[in-house]
Amino acid sequence: MSEVFEKLSGLDRLVHEPARLAVLTALSVCRKADFMYLLRLTGLTKGNLSTHLTKLEAGGLIRIEKKFVGRKPNTMLALTRKGRTAVEKHWRELDELRASSRDWDPTEE
Amino acid sequence: MSEVFEKLSGLDRLVHEPARLAVLTALSVCRKADFMYLLRLTGLTKGNLSTHLTKLEAGGLIRIEKKFVGRKPNTMLALTRKGRTAVEKHWRELDELRASSRDWDPTEE
DNA sequence: CATACTAGTTTGTATTGCAAACTAGATGCT
DNA sequence: AGCATCTAGTTTGCAATACAAACTAGTATG
């Protein structure tokens, strides 16, 4: 019954990491956002945001689209379908784990 | 209004790390647990659990009590007051951040 | 007495997360 | 035109993880 804590301790770090959880959650609400927007939103440094995004792309959770707007470069980010399910699942899991830890009885098993 | 994502990306890593979140949450429910119990509960390896516990103690979130039960060593873990507030705060923050990201309007600001 | 078990800790390594330094092109100044 | 500055990122270097395998100290067992 209580593999709750086993699950908790095994949460997917790619999604769970605070900066990435913020990015993924933001993208799950606004569907698309560019680099500079996410930069302001999260308060991360550029280098930091850049590597987190690369990591998310490598994991197949987001798509990175580079194009030119006028003559300026612009990097657009969006969740992949996999990414969307991953964030949603992660928050659901957190909710559930929190809830079931609440009414967990340590004296059993 | 929406420093939500800034907060999200700045979550306290000492508490947020999955293994430690599991340990802290378990301790917040059962008040006291020994090493072997947490080991089974979380599914971590001994080495891993050991270092996480040391880190939590260093951060003042738990107390580690070593004594002998009969002639066998036994390590008891419990939250400090600081630890208790930290876990509770962390879960509350996750809840809140999740909630406010839901009804965040990307078109504003 | 030696072999195995219990309850952990230490060590070695590969992976991170981070900011500072760098890059490439666009824009502004004189 | 020539040089500095700005914009939008990426790469680099490093300190801090997280992890399991190897180790330790003491106990029980044959």
Side-chain angles (χ1 to χ4, degrees):
Chain A
M1 187 81 283
S2 189
E3 75 286 7
V4 186
F5 297 97
E6 216 158 323
K7 273 192 167 184
L8 236 183
S9 62
L11 285 170
D12 181 1
R13 227 173 287 284
L14 180 60
V15 179
H16 194 62
E17 198 285 324
R20 282 180 314 246
L21 187 57
V23 168
L24 292 172
T25 304
L27 287 176
S28 79
V29 178
C30 62
R31 277 211 103 75
K32 248 171 181 257
D34 67 10
F35 188 93
M36 294 310 291
Y37 183 69
L38 287 179
L39 190 66
R40 270 147 213 148
L41 202 64
T42 58
L44 298 167
T45 59
K46 290 193 236 176
N48 220 336
L49 177 57
S50 177
T51 45
H52 280 307
L53 292 175
T54 305
K55 214 155 278 187
L56 287 173
E57 189 191 31
L61 302 188
I62 66 169
R63 225 167 332 100
I64 302 185
E65 257 170 78
K66 283 155 200 286
K67 45 179 182 171
F68 278 79
V69 173
R71 348 190 82 198
K72 284 188 182 173
N74 181 264
T75 305
M76 263 300 191
L77 296 319
L79 291 180
T80 58
R81 195 176 314 165
K82 186 180 171 190
R84 178 163 299 277
T85 30
V87 207
E88 280 164 9
K89 184 174 163 235
H90 198 83
W91 280 112
R92 198 165 49 243
E93 275 181 354
L94 282 176
D95 274 6
E96 286 173 7
L97 292 174
R98 173 54 175 159
S100 43
S101 76
R102 269 184 208 286
D103 42 55
W104 163 66
D105 183 356
T107 61
E108 292 176 8
E109 130 198 49
Chain B
M1 189 81 281
S2 188
E3 73 287 7
V4 185
F5 298 97
E6 216 158 322
K7 273 193 167 182
L8 236 183
S9 61
L11 285 170
D12 182 2
R13 231 171 278 287
L14 180 61
V15 179
H16 194 62
E17 199 284 325
R20 280 178 318 242
L21 187 57
V23 168
L24 292 172
T25 303
L27 288 177
S28 80
V29 177
C30 63
R31 278 211 102 77
K32 248 171 182 257
D34 68 10
F35 188 94
M36 294 311 290
Y37 184 70
L38 287 178
L39 190 66
R40 270 146 212 147
L41 202 65
T42 58
L44 297 167
T45 59
K46 290 194 239 174
N48 219 337
L49 177 57
S50 176
T51 45
H52 280 307
L53 291 176
T54 306
K55 214 156 279 189
L56 286 173
E57 190 191 31
L61 301 188
I62 66 170
R63 225 167 329 103
I64 303 185
E65 256 168 79
K66 286 156 197 286
K67 44 179 184 173
F68 278 79
V69 173
R71 345 189 85 197
K72 283 188 183 175
N74 181 264
T75 304
M76 264 300 194
L77 294 319
L79 291 180
T80 58
R81 196 176 311 166
K82 185 180 170 188
R84 177 162 301 275
T85 31
V87 208
E88 280 164 7
K89 182 171 164 238
H90 198 83
W91 280 112
R92 199 166 48 243
E93 274 180 354
L94 282 177
D95 275 5
E96 286 173 7
L97 292 174
R98 173 54 174 156
S100 43
S101 76
R102 267 185 211 285
D103 41 55
W104 163 66
D105 183 355
T107 60
E108 292 175 8
E109 133 198 47

